[in-house]
Short mmCIF file of all heavy atoms in Angstrom, two decimals:
data_model
loop_
_atom_site.label_atom_id
_atom_site.label_comp_id
_atom_site.label_asym_id
_atom_site.label_seq_id
_atom_site.Cartn_x
_atom_site.Cartn_y
_atom_site.Cartn_z
N GLY A 361 4.51 -12.23 -5.26
CA GLY A 361 4.40 -11.10 -6.18
C GLY A 361 5.35 -11.24 -7.47
O GLY A 361 5.47 -10.20 -8.16
N GLY A 362 6.03 -12.30 -7.67
CA GLY A 362 7.04 -12.37 -8.77
C GLY A 362 6.48 -12.98 -10.08
O GLY A 362 7.35 -13.14 -10.83
N GLY A 363 5.20 -13.26 -10.08
CA GLY A 363 4.76 -13.86 -11.22
C GLY A 363 4.10 -12.96 -12.39
O GLY A 363 3.92 -13.45 -13.49
N GLY A 364 3.99 -11.64 -12.05
CA GLY A 364 3.41 -10.78 -12.94
C GLY A 364 1.93 -10.99 -13.13
O GLY A 364 1.27 -11.57 -12.26
N SER A 365 1.43 -10.41 -14.32
CA SER A 365 0.04 -10.50 -14.47
C SER A 365 -0.63 -11.78 -14.80
O SER A 365 -1.84 -11.97 -14.71
CB SER A 365 -0.34 -9.46 -15.67
OG SER A 365 0.35 -9.98 -16.88
N ASN A 366 0.25 -12.80 -14.95
CA ASN A 366 -0.22 -14.11 -15.25
C ASN A 366 -0.85 -14.85 -13.94
O ASN A 366 -1.44 -15.96 -14.04
CB ASN A 366 0.91 -15.07 -15.78
CG ASN A 366 1.19 -14.66 -17.18
OD1 ASN A 366 0.35 -14.16 -17.98
ND2 ASN A 366 2.30 -14.91 -17.66
N TYR A 367 -0.54 -14.18 -12.75
CA TYR A 367 -0.97 -14.80 -11.56
C TYR A 367 -1.74 -13.66 -10.71
O TYR A 367 -1.28 -13.18 -9.67
CB TYR A 367 0.28 -15.23 -10.70
CG TYR A 367 1.02 -16.33 -11.36
CD1 TYR A 367 2.03 -16.02 -12.39
CD2 TYR A 367 0.70 -17.60 -11.33
CE1 TYR A 367 2.69 -16.94 -13.06
CE2 TYR A 367 1.34 -18.54 -12.07
CZ TYR A 367 2.38 -18.25 -12.88
OH TYR A 367 3.04 -19.27 -13.67
N PRO A 368 -2.92 -13.40 -11.25
CA PRO A 368 -3.66 -12.35 -10.53
C PRO A 368 -4.19 -12.56 -9.19
O PRO A 368 -4.17 -11.61 -8.34
CB PRO A 368 -4.89 -12.13 -11.47
CG PRO A 368 -5.04 -13.47 -12.10
CD PRO A 368 -3.71 -13.97 -12.35
N LEU A 369 -4.51 -13.72 -8.82
CA LEU A 369 -4.97 -14.10 -7.35
C LEU A 369 -3.86 -13.85 -6.41
O LEU A 369 -4.06 -13.41 -5.25
CB LEU A 369 -5.53 -15.42 -7.32
CG LEU A 369 -6.83 -15.71 -8.13
CD1 LEU A 369 -7.26 -17.24 -7.93
CD2 LEU A 369 -7.94 -14.74 -7.65
N ARG A 370 -2.60 -14.25 -6.76
CA ARG A 370 -1.44 -14.04 -5.90
C ARG A 370 -1.23 -12.52 -5.70
O ARG A 370 -0.83 -12.10 -4.64
CB ARG A 370 -0.24 -14.74 -6.48
CG ARG A 370 -0.44 -16.19 -6.60
CD ARG A 370 0.82 -16.99 -6.90
NE ARG A 370 0.62 -18.34 -7.40
CZ ARG A 370 1.64 -19.12 -7.55
NH1 ARG A 370 2.88 -18.96 -7.35
NH2 ARG A 370 1.35 -20.40 -7.93
N ASN A 371 -1.27 -11.81 -6.84
CA ASN A 371 -1.11 -10.34 -6.72
C ASN A 371 -2.11 -9.74 -5.78
O ASN A 371 -1.97 -8.82 -5.10
CB ASN A 371 -1.11 -9.74 -8.16
CG ASN A 371 0.10 -10.06 -8.94
OD1 ASN A 371 1.08 -10.46 -8.46
ND2 ASN A 371 -0.03 -10.05 -10.23
N LEU A 372 -3.40 -10.28 -6.04
CA LEU A 372 -4.52 -9.73 -5.20
C LEU A 372 -4.24 -9.95 -3.73
O LEU A 372 -4.57 -9.07 -2.87
CB LEU A 372 -5.78 -10.36 -5.59
CG LEU A 372 -7.05 -9.98 -4.84
CD1 LEU A 372 -7.33 -8.45 -5.08
CD2 LEU A 372 -8.29 -10.75 -5.35
N ALA A 373 -3.74 -11.08 -3.31
CA ALA A 373 -3.30 -11.33 -1.92
C ALA A 373 -2.47 -10.37 -1.40
O ALA A 373 -2.60 -9.88 -0.29
CB ALA A 373 -2.86 -12.78 -1.75
N VAL A 374 -1.45 -10.04 -2.19
CA VAL A 374 -0.39 -9.04 -1.70
C VAL A 374 -1.08 -7.67 -1.62
O VAL A 374 -0.78 -6.90 -0.57
CB VAL A 374 0.79 -8.93 -2.75
CG1 VAL A 374 1.70 -7.94 -2.31
CG2 VAL A 374 1.39 -10.28 -2.85
N GLN A 375 -1.91 -7.34 -2.54
CA GLN A 375 -2.62 -6.06 -2.47
C GLN A 375 -3.62 -5.86 -1.35
O GLN A 375 -3.66 -4.75 -0.65
CB GLN A 375 -3.32 -5.77 -3.83
CG GLN A 375 -2.31 -5.55 -5.00
CD GLN A 375 -2.98 -5.83 -6.40
OE1 GLN A 375 -4.22 -5.79 -6.50
NE2 GLN A 375 -2.17 -6.13 -7.42
N LEU A 376 -4.21 -6.95 -1.07
CA LEU A 376 -5.16 -6.92 0.07
C LEU A 376 -4.52 -6.81 1.44
O LEU A 376 -4.91 -6.01 2.28
CB LEU A 376 -6.04 -8.13 0.11
CG LEU A 376 -7.08 -8.31 -1.05
CD1 LEU A 376 -7.84 -9.67 -1.02
CD2 LEU A 376 -8.20 -7.16 -0.91
N LEU A 377 -3.39 -7.47 1.48
CA LEU A 377 -2.50 -7.25 2.71
C LEU A 377 -2.05 -5.85 2.83
O LEU A 377 -1.98 -5.22 3.84
CB LEU A 377 -1.33 -8.20 2.63
CG LEU A 377 -0.35 -8.14 3.92
CD1 LEU A 377 -1.08 -8.38 5.09
CD2 LEU A 377 0.76 -9.19 3.68
N ALA A 378 -1.65 -5.23 1.71
CA ALA A 378 -1.18 -3.83 1.73
C ALA A 378 -2.31 -3.00 2.14
O ALA A 378 -2.02 -1.91 2.82
CB ALA A 378 -0.70 -3.49 0.36
N LEU A 379 -3.53 -3.12 1.68
CA LEU A 379 -4.69 -2.27 2.14
C LEU A 379 -4.94 -2.50 3.58
O LEU A 379 -5.26 -1.52 4.29
CB LEU A 379 -5.91 -2.79 1.30
CG LEU A 379 -5.94 -2.32 -0.14
CD1 LEU A 379 -7.20 -2.85 -0.86
CD2 LEU A 379 -6.07 -0.84 -0.25
N ALA A 380 -4.80 -3.61 4.11
CA ALA A 380 -5.01 -3.91 5.50
C ALA A 380 -4.01 -3.06 6.28
O ALA A 380 -4.31 -2.41 7.48
CB ALA A 380 -4.92 -5.40 5.80
N ILE A 381 -2.73 -3.11 5.90
CA ILE A 381 -1.65 -2.41 6.63
C ILE A 381 -1.87 -0.85 6.40
O ILE A 381 -1.73 -0.12 7.46
CB ILE A 381 -0.38 -2.72 5.94
CG1 ILE A 381 0.05 -4.14 6.26
CG2 ILE A 381 0.77 -1.79 6.49
CD1 ILE A 381 1.31 -4.63 5.58
N LEU A 382 -2.47 -0.42 5.42
CA LEU A 382 -2.81 1.00 5.19
C LEU A 382 -3.92 1.43 6.25
O LEU A 382 -3.84 2.46 6.97
CB LEU A 382 -3.34 1.38 3.79
CG LEU A 382 -2.27 1.64 2.78
CD1 LEU A 382 -2.94 1.81 1.40
CD2 LEU A 382 -1.35 2.78 3.09
N ALA A 383 -4.84 0.52 6.37
CA ALA A 383 -5.91 0.82 7.40
C ALA A 383 -5.45 0.72 8.79
O ALA A 383 -5.93 1.53 9.59
CB ALA A 383 -6.98 -0.21 7.20
N LEU A 384 -4.44 -0.09 9.07
CA LEU A 384 -3.98 -0.15 10.53
C LEU A 384 -3.00 0.88 10.86
O LEU A 384 -2.78 1.21 11.99
CB LEU A 384 -3.39 -1.59 10.66
CG LEU A 384 -4.23 -2.68 10.65
CD1 LEU A 384 -3.44 -4.02 10.73
CD2 LEU A 384 -5.21 -2.68 11.73
N HIS A 385 -2.44 1.60 9.81
CA HIS A 385 -1.32 2.58 10.07
C HIS A 385 -1.76 3.93 9.50
O HIS A 385 -1.12 4.60 8.78
CB HIS A 385 -0.02 2.01 9.48
CG HIS A 385 0.57 0.88 10.24
ND1 HIS A 385 1.21 1.00 11.36
CD2 HIS A 385 0.46 -0.42 9.85
CE1 HIS A 385 1.51 -0.28 11.72
NE2 HIS A 385 1.04 -1.14 10.84
N ARG A 386 -3.16 4.21 9.60
CA ARG A 386 -3.60 5.55 9.02
C ARG A 386 -2.75 6.67 9.52
O ARG A 386 -2.57 7.67 8.73
CB ARG A 386 -5.07 5.71 9.42
CG ARG A 386 -6.02 4.71 8.85
CD ARG A 386 -7.48 4.94 9.07
NE ARG A 386 -7.67 5.14 10.61
CZ ARG A 386 -7.96 4.04 11.31
NH1 ARG A 386 -8.00 2.85 10.74
NH2 ARG A 386 -8.22 4.14 12.59
N ALA A 387 -2.41 6.70 10.86
CA ALA A 387 -1.64 7.79 11.29
C ALA A 387 -0.37 8.05 10.51
O ALA A 387 0.11 9.21 10.35
CB ALA A 387 -1.30 7.58 12.84
N ARG A 388 0.41 6.88 10.17
CA ARG A 388 1.65 7.03 9.44
C ARG A 388 1.43 7.57 8.10
O ARG A 388 2.17 8.32 7.56
CB ARG A 388 2.34 5.75 9.45
CG ARG A 388 2.86 5.17 10.75
CD ARG A 388 3.74 3.94 10.57
NE ARG A 388 4.31 3.54 11.83
CZ ARG A 388 5.44 3.99 12.34
NH1 ARG A 388 6.07 5.04 11.74
NH2 ARG A 388 5.90 3.50 13.46
N VAL A 389 0.29 7.14 7.53
CA VAL A 389 -0.04 7.65 6.08
C VAL A 389 -0.28 9.16 6.22
O VAL A 389 0.25 9.83 5.35
CB VAL A 389 -1.31 6.88 5.49
CG1 VAL A 389 -1.60 7.43 4.20
CG2 VAL A 389 -1.00 5.41 5.36
N PHE A 390 -1.12 9.64 7.08
CA PHE A 390 -1.26 11.08 7.28
C PHE A 390 -0.03 11.77 7.54
O PHE A 390 0.20 12.96 7.16
CB PHE A 390 -2.36 11.39 8.34
CG PHE A 390 -3.70 10.88 7.87
CD1 PHE A 390 -4.49 10.07 8.65
CD2 PHE A 390 -4.29 11.36 6.71
CE1 PHE A 390 -5.78 9.67 8.36
CE2 PHE A 390 -5.56 10.90 6.34
CZ PHE A 390 -6.33 10.14 7.15
N GLY A 391 0.86 11.10 8.41
CA GLY A 391 2.18 11.71 8.62
C GLY A 391 2.97 11.83 7.43
O GLY A 391 3.62 12.85 7.30
N PHE A 392 2.98 10.92 6.54
CA PHE A 392 3.65 10.96 5.21
C PHE A 392 3.22 12.14 4.41
O PHE A 392 3.88 12.89 3.84
CB PHE A 392 3.58 9.73 4.50
CG PHE A 392 4.19 9.74 3.08
CD1 PHE A 392 5.36 9.80 2.85
CD2 PHE A 392 3.18 9.74 2.02
CE1 PHE A 392 5.84 10.00 1.41
CE2 PHE A 392 3.56 9.75 0.66
CZ PHE A 392 4.94 9.82 0.43
N ILE A 393 1.88 12.28 4.33
CA ILE A 393 1.15 13.30 3.56
C ILE A 393 1.62 14.75 4.11
O ILE A 393 1.84 15.65 3.27
CB ILE A 393 -0.32 13.13 3.56
CG1 ILE A 393 -0.77 11.87 2.80
CG2 ILE A 393 -0.98 14.34 2.94
CD1 ILE A 393 -2.20 11.60 2.96
N ALA A 394 1.66 14.82 5.53
CA ALA A 394 2.04 16.09 6.03
C ALA A 394 3.43 16.45 5.97
O ALA A 394 3.86 17.61 5.81
CB ALA A 394 1.58 16.09 7.53
N SER A 395 4.40 15.48 5.92
CA SER A 395 5.92 15.81 6.02
C SER A 395 6.63 15.51 4.82
O SER A 395 7.74 15.88 4.74
CB SER A 395 6.45 15.00 7.26
OG SER A 395 6.33 13.62 7.05
N ALA A 396 6.04 14.82 3.88
CA ALA A 396 6.86 14.39 2.73
C ALA A 396 7.18 15.57 1.84
O ALA A 396 6.47 16.57 1.82
CB ALA A 396 6.00 13.36 1.91
N PRO A 397 8.33 15.59 1.13
CA PRO A 397 8.61 16.70 0.26
C PRO A 397 7.45 16.79 -0.74
O PRO A 397 6.94 15.82 -1.27
CB PRO A 397 9.87 16.21 -0.47
CG PRO A 397 10.25 15.03 0.17
CD PRO A 397 9.23 14.48 1.15
N ARG A 398 7.08 18.10 -1.05
CA ARG A 398 5.94 18.26 -1.95
C ARG A 398 6.07 17.51 -3.31
O ARG A 398 5.22 17.16 -4.03
CB ARG A 398 5.74 19.82 -2.15
CG ARG A 398 5.27 20.49 -0.91
CD ARG A 398 4.10 19.93 -0.34
NE ARG A 398 4.37 18.92 0.75
CZ ARG A 398 3.35 18.30 1.46
NH1 ARG A 398 2.19 18.54 1.16
NH2 ARG A 398 3.79 17.41 2.35
N ALA A 399 7.48 17.66 -3.95
CA ALA A 399 7.63 17.07 -5.21
C ALA A 399 7.36 15.50 -5.16
O ALA A 399 6.72 15.04 -6.13
CB ALA A 399 9.11 17.28 -5.61
N LEU A 400 7.89 14.87 -4.14
CA LEU A 400 7.61 13.45 -3.94
C LEU A 400 6.09 13.10 -3.89
O LEU A 400 5.49 12.22 -4.53
CB LEU A 400 8.37 12.88 -2.88
CG LEU A 400 8.06 11.34 -2.50
CD1 LEU A 400 8.48 10.49 -3.64
CD2 LEU A 400 8.83 11.00 -1.16
N LEU A 401 5.46 13.97 -3.02
CA LEU A 401 4.03 13.75 -2.80
C LEU A 401 3.15 13.90 -4.10
O LEU A 401 2.37 13.12 -4.49
CB LEU A 401 3.50 14.76 -1.77
CG LEU A 401 2.11 14.48 -1.20
CD1 LEU A 401 1.89 13.08 -0.64
CD2 LEU A 401 1.70 15.52 -0.18
#
């Protein structure tokens, strides 16, 4: 992820991995929504 917009496929690989982690940790995401400070959310 250190190449910026000139390397879209590499950035896409990082983003797809992030989406997979979001899908696998849905409970933690909902926990963040429920407990995070309102200003931050």
Side-chain angles (χ1 to χ4, degrees):
S365 59
N366 290 333
Y367 300 88
L369 292 181
R370 302 189 192 190
N371 291 334
L372 178 61
V374 180
Q375 293 160 16
L376 290 177
L377 178 58
L379 288 173
I381 292 175
L382 279 177
L384 292 173
H385 296 279
R386 296 186 300 274
R388 290 189 179 276
V389 175
F390 290 126
F392 169 73
I393 295 173
S395 61
R398 297 301 95 180
L400 174 62
L401 191 59

